[in-house]
Amino acid sequence: QLQLQESGPGLVKPSETLSLTCTVSGGSISSSSYYWGWVRQPPGKGLEWIANIYYTGSTYYSPSLKSRLSLSVDTSKNQFSLILSSVTAADTAVYYCARRQSGSGYIDSWGQGTLVTVSS
Amino acid sequence: QSALTQPASVSGSPGQSITISCTGTSSDVGAYNYVSWFQQHPGKAPTVVIYDVSTRPSGVSDRFSGSKSGNTASLTVSGLQAEDEADYYCMSYTRISAWVFGGGTKLTVL
């Protein structure tokens, strides 16, 4: 059974860098059948797509976050990571990692989510 | 890229049917058959109820159905049950190889 688990600091200071890792268990991140990605949700608000990454390292970013965003994948650790620079209070959100089937809009697995608060 | 447009709220009585619309543009909803719908209960991660416009994953009740016409996709929930009360989000692929969500709709079962 596939499981995704987000990890990283729960508190980040304004202007600093947010770093999160998603650890995949019960399946291989190197499968050609899936894309891996991040979605966030500010408290009390809606979902926002952040980015996707393929096991080869190909990345697809939200235009609104692209200038501050970087995704990477570590197939040896079965993990993928997100780095968001120059954060502000507007980046405070629950961050979810997720798996999407290739060639489809089917997001079939989600992490439980991790709350990241941007505050001094 | 702008969020897809959904009604903020819809409501219905048990046993009734409701439909939630999701309006985009010819660059997203209208361009691809990659529209998904997610259900989210408070404090929980979203789960998919429909993907690729009208495909229902195994394990999802057949009371959920999806369709699309032009730039607008729709999610219909028939035979409303108390457990259907949740937030619902649509999501679409876009021409710039990105994905975009709708603003979300709160479904209240009266």
Side-chain angles (χ1 to χ4, degrees):
Chain A
Q1 177 182 344
L2 186 81
Q3 288 191 320
L4 287 75
Q5 179 68 56
E6 305 90 350
S7 60
L11 181 65
V12 182
K13 289 183 168 55
S15 80
E16 296 191 345
T17 297
L18 181 163
S19 297
L20 294 174
T21 295
C22 183
T23 301
V24 179
S25 58
S28 173
I29 203 169
S30 299
S31 170
S32 61
S33 298
Y34 302 102
Y35 284 80
W36 307 90
W38 295 91
V39 173
R40 70 181 182 179
Q41 185 170 34
K45 297 188 178 180
L47 301 171
E48 179 184 13
W49 178 77
I50 298 174
N52 285 342
I53 189 166
Y54 198 50
Y55 77 99
T56 57
S58 296
T59 52
Y60 308 85
Y61 296 144
S62 166
S64 63
L65 297 171
K66 187 174 184 177
S67 63
R68 300 190 291 129
L69 195 56
S70 177
L71 258 64
S72 61
V73 61
D74 187 335
T75 55
S76 67
K77 295 182 179 179
N78 229 31
Q79 295 176 333
F80 62 103
S81 298
L82 171 152
I83 293 178
L84 183 65
S85 63
S86 304
V87 297
T88 70
D91 296 309
T92 294
V94 174
Y95 286 75
Y96 295 100
C97 59
R99 184 181 81 170
R100 178 177 61 81
Q101 290 193 358
S102 177
S104 167
Y106 186 16
I107 298 181
D108 64 358
S109 189
W110 295 73
Q112 64 183 22
T114 187
L115 174 63
V116 178
T117 301
V118 179
S119 174
S120 55
Chain B
Q1 108 209 14
S2 300
L4 306 175
T5 300
Q6 297 181 230
S9 63
V10 297
S11 62
S13 299
Q16 290 186 332
S17 295
I18 62 93
T19 296
I20 300 172
S21 61
C22 170
T23 301
T25 70
S26 58
S27 294
D28 40 62
V29 174
Y32 303 97
N33 288 325
Y34 291 148
V35 177
S36 303
W37 289 91
F38 299 91
Q39 177 190 67
Q40 187 181 35
H41 288 107
K44 301 294 186 182
T47 59
V48 65
V49 293
I50 293 289
Y51 69 95
D52 296 351
V53 176
S54 59
T55 302
R56 192 174 50 249
S58 61
V60 172
S61 170
D62 61 3
R63 299 183 297 101
F64 291 88
S65 62
S67 63
K68 190 185 86 167
S69 177
N71 297 335
T72 299
S74 299
L75 173 71
T76 298
V77 186
S78 58
L80 273 177
Q81 300 180 0
E83 67 206 49
D84 300 331
E85 185 162 297
D87 293 327
Y88 290 84
Y89 295 90
C90 61
M91 182 186 78
S92 174
Y93 188 60
T94 76
R95 288 194 188 277
I96 56 171
S97 300
W99 295 81
V100 62
F101 281 97
T105 298
K106 181 177 180 59
L107 169 59
T108 300
V109 181
L110 302 171

